[in-house]
Amino acid sequence: MSAVAPSITADPSPAARDAAPQGDAAPPRDAAPSRDAGPVAPAVPRAKKLRGLMGRNIWALADQALISGANFVTLILIAWALDDKTEFGRFSTVYSVLLFCNILQSTLITQSHNVLGATRSGDDYRLYTSSTAFGQLALFAIQVLLVLPVATLASMQGWATASLIWALVPAVFGWQLQELVRRVLYTEGRYGAAFANDLIGFGGQMLVLAGMFFLHARMGYTFNGTIALLVTAATTALAGAVGLWQLRASLSWRFGRRELAENWHFGKWLLGGEVLGFFSSLQMQVLWAALLVGTAASADLRAAQILFGPMRVITFFLGTVLPIRFARALHERGTLAMHANVRSVYAVLAPLVGVYCALLALFPRPLLKLIYPDEFASNEAVVVLMLYAATAFLGYMQMVMAAALTAARQTRYIFAGSVCGCAIGLAASPLCIWRFGAAGGILSIMATTLVVTALYVLAYRRQSARDFGSSNSGSIAGRGAEVTA
């Protein structure tokens, strides 16, 4: 297998072959080249890199297309169905809380499994996966304990968002159950099984909500944000139940404290980094905007983010597969192989997302009018979309660096970068939003992204220099610059 071309192809590990005999047959593992064959493979044309990018991962790409398409369509339907931007802004505010809950799962549960589970096999893998599932149940219980008092207070005070907050509980459960199943299937390389499961969860969600929107538009049936969250809860819970059956050979009734502790030690830095990063993210800007200038501004921010839904076909694919691929390259073939993977990903990713971001920045008003009701194409919304397009491109580039640091188990650097980003975001966001409205939130994100990306790159280069020095006693120092992304 080339160290460059199939830059994000996640080959099934022995863990996947031993622990998951059911379901999709894993593709055969290619023979890894000897380290004596040279540090970096020959240059590969970009077209060939793109074919390697897709390759045997067509099911994974289809899976991401399904998820992104379903989320894009359903959020657009909700924007059209709700009475005005203010109501959509309320939904966007509660939806941001749902996404924050998913951060807890991603850092402590699913990313840990993708990296730590990729090198396990047999009974060891089954024990680890079962322990991870137990940790997921404990995490959900904690989230319920946090949400229920707020929902009770919202009902007692008569908040307009009360029903939305109550709907969060089943939505969090269903979403996280299915996401756990999906990410374990990804660890095992069973992309076809993950796609089939998402047909139930996300495909079912899209079909049910589309039918409800039709009944709302033609017959006046009620369709609001609360109903949308409950439909999501039902379809994802059903998919999660099917997924437990798909993973029956990978689970047991045992769990280990050592495995739970390992997940915690791996994920705690990611958790800290992501939580701090949340305070400078668009989700936090949505909350700040609702608090400082009104939920209509929150709607403008969410509307800009939704337009990047189709691009997540690529970025969610990379975000899921990259840490697995980088971790295996580093474990099996060393630092130079991971560098080659990083370079190859950038060579494919940068032009793809660059074109998309440029189109949104150049033609914001026509696109807003095409996708949303006319009130979403205000002057402020146009400025928000233009700024967000530039910020999103920087964020995509940052994602690759974060994946490389995660694979190298250098998550403390991600935490350190997030501390800086959080400090900038908390200081700048309220002032910028108060002064410039929704556009000020994007300016705050842009400043944070630039600083954090620079810190990630610096940390990656320093870690690479240490790896070269320890493994090659300085003999590769002259070649290091040629393979460092």
Side-chain angles (χ1 to χ4, degrees), residues 50-262:
L50 186 57
R51 289 195 298 271
L53 181 72
M54 306 306 176
R56 295 170 299 171
N57 293 296
I58 188 65
W59 285 116
L61 183 61
D63 182 51
Q64 300 305 327
L66 171 65
I67 295 171
S68 299
N71 286 330
F72 178 75
V73 170
T74 54
L75 288 172
I76 295 298
L77 291 176
I78 293 170
W80 278 94
L82 299 184
D83 291 337
D84 53 30
K85 282 175 65 174
T86 299
E87 188 175 354
F88 183 69
R90 294 193 192 103
F91 172 82
S92 298
T93 302
V94 175
Y95 191 74
S96 292
V97 178
L98 173 63
L99 296 180
F100 176 80
C101 291
N102 292 341
I103 287 176
L104 305 179
Q105 180 198 33
S106 174
T107 52
L108 295 176
I109 306 297
T110 56
Q111 288 192 56
S112 298
H113 193 282
N114 286 159
V115 174
L116 303 181
T119 58
R120 297 172 184 261
S121 62
D123 289 338
D124 182 43
Y125 176 79
R126 279 184 282 274
L127 175 62
Y128 174 73
T129 302
S130 301
S131 301
T132 300
F134 179 83
Q136 173 66 72
L137 291 176
L139 177 62
F140 174 69
I142 293 172
Q143 292 172 111
V144 170
L145 291 175
L146 294 175
V147 171
L148 286 181
V150 179
T152 302
L153 177 63
S155 295
M156 294 175 60
Q157 297 294 323
W159 295 356
T161 55
S163 62
L164 285 167
I165 297 173
W166 279 110
L168 266 181
V169 175
V172 168
F173 174 77
W175 196 319
Q176 293 192 358
L177 176 61
Q178 185 186 11
E179 180 65 7
L180 172 66
V181 167
R182 188 177 75 90
R183 294 294 289 266
V184 172
L185 289 171
Y186 265 70
T187 301
E188 298 178 0
R190 299 167 62 190
Y191 300 151
F195 176 75
N197 189 270
D198 283 333
L199 277 176
I200 300 172
F202 291 96
Q205 167 192 294
M206 180 170 55
L207 290 176
V208 172
L209 289 178
M212 296 185 71
F213 177 79
F214 176 82
L215 294 175
H216 168 76
R218 295 297 179 90
M219 303 181 186
Y221 281 75
T222 301
F223 181 22
N224 54 37
T226 301
I227 291 175
L229 285 179
L230 293 176
V231 169
T232 298
T235 57
T236 53
L238 175 60
V242 173
L244 293 177
W245 179 84
Q246 291 175 297
L247 293 173
R248 63 193 184 278
S250 303
L251 297 169
S252 68
W253 291 105
R254 299 180 301 123
F255 72 91
R257 294 182 179 179
R258 182 175 64 85
E259 284 74 17
L260 291 172
E262 188 174 3

Side-chain angles (χ1 to χ4, degrees), residues 143-482:
Q143 292 172 111
V144 170
L145 291 175
L146 294 175
V147 171
L148 286 181
V150 179
T152 302
L153 177 63
S155 295
M156 294 175 60
Q157 297 294 323
W159 295 356
T161 55
S163 62
L164 285 167
I165 297 173
W166 279 110
L168 266 181
V169 175
V172 168
F173 174 77
W175 196 319
Q176 293 192 358
L177 176 61
Q178 185 186 11
E179 180 65 7
L180 172 66
V181 167
R182 188 177 75 90
R183 294 294 289 266
V184 172
L185 289 171
Y186 265 70
T187 301
E188 298 178 0
R190 299 167 62 190
Y191 300 151
F195 176 75
N197 189 270
D198 283 333
L199 277 176
I200 300 172
F202 291 96
Q205 167 192 294
M206 180 170 55
L207 290 176
V208 172
L209 289 178
M212 296 185 71
F213 177 79
F214 176 82
L215 294 175
H216 168 76
R218 295 297 179 90
M219 303 181 186
Y221 281 75
T222 301
F223 181 22
N224 54 37
T226 301
I227 291 175
L229 285 179
L230 293 176
V231 169
T232 298
T235 57
T236 53
L238 175 60
V242 173
L244 293 177
W245 179 84
Q246 291 175 297
L247 293 173
R248 63 193 184 278
S250 303
L251 297 169
S252 68
W253 291 105
R254 299 180 301 123
F255 72 91
R257 294 182 179 179
R258 182 175 64 85
E259 284 74 17
L260 291 172
E262 188 174 3
N263 278 355
W264 166 253
H265 289 305
F266 175 83
K268 64 183 179 182
W269 293 109
L270 291 176
L271 173 62
E274 289 289 344
V275 169
L276 291 173
F278 181 86
F279 289 106
S280 59
S281 70
L282 185 133
Q283 314 307 332
M284 190 64 197
Q285 311 312 312
V286 168
L287 298 175
W288 277 123
L291 178 65
L292 297 175
V293 296
T295 53
S298 298
D300 287 334
L301 291 167
R302 181 69 65 196
Q305 185 192 39
I306 291 171
L307 288 180
F308 282 82
M311 204 67 239
R312 295 188 186 97
V313 174
I314 294 175
T315 57
F316 282 177
F317 176 63
L318 294 175
T320 300
V321 174
L322 275 185
I324 305 173
R325 177 60 187 177
F326 288 168
R328 286 181 180 154
L330 182 63
H331 176 73
E332 296 172 2
R333 288 173 286 149
T335 303
L336 291 175
M338 190 174 78
H339 288 335
N341 275 251
V342 171
R343 290 200 335 170
S344 184
V345 169
Y346 272 127
V348 174
L349 181 65
L352 285 179
V353 301
V355 170
Y356 191 89
C357 292
L359 289 174
L360 289 175
L362 292 173
F363 306 103
R365 195 181 301 275
L367 289 170
L368 287 169
K369 288 186 175 181
L370 176 67
I371 301 299
Y372 300 106
D374 288 344
E375 63 177 326
F376 281 79
S378 64
N379 290 335
E380 182 169 352
V382 168
V383 174
V384 167
L385 181 55
M386 294 174 66
L387 292 173
Y388 189 67
T391 304
F393 178 80
L394 296 173
Y396 295 139
M397 300 301 102
Q398 181 189 106
M399 180 187 65
V400 181
M401 280 290 97
L405 291 172
T406 300
R409 304 193 183 190
Q410 301 300 318
T411 51
R412 64 183 181 275
Y413 292 123
I414 296 178
F415 176 78
S418 297
V419 169
C420 296
C422 177
I424 296 172
L426 288 177
S429 294
L431 293 175
C432 290
I433 290 176
W434 178 76
R435 178 64 179 84
F436 301 108
I442 305 301
L443 291 173
S444 173
I445 297 174
M446 184 179 294
T448 301
T449 303
L450 285 169
V451 172
V452 174
T453 301
L455 291 174
Y456 284 1
V457 170
L458 181 61
Y460 179 74
R461 293 177 69 91
R462 286 179 175 175
Q463 180 64 30
S464 299
R466 285 195 292 269
D467 289 345
F468 286 137
S470 61
S471 61
N472 298 280
S473 300
S475 62
I476 305 181
R479 297 197 299 270
E482 300 175 4

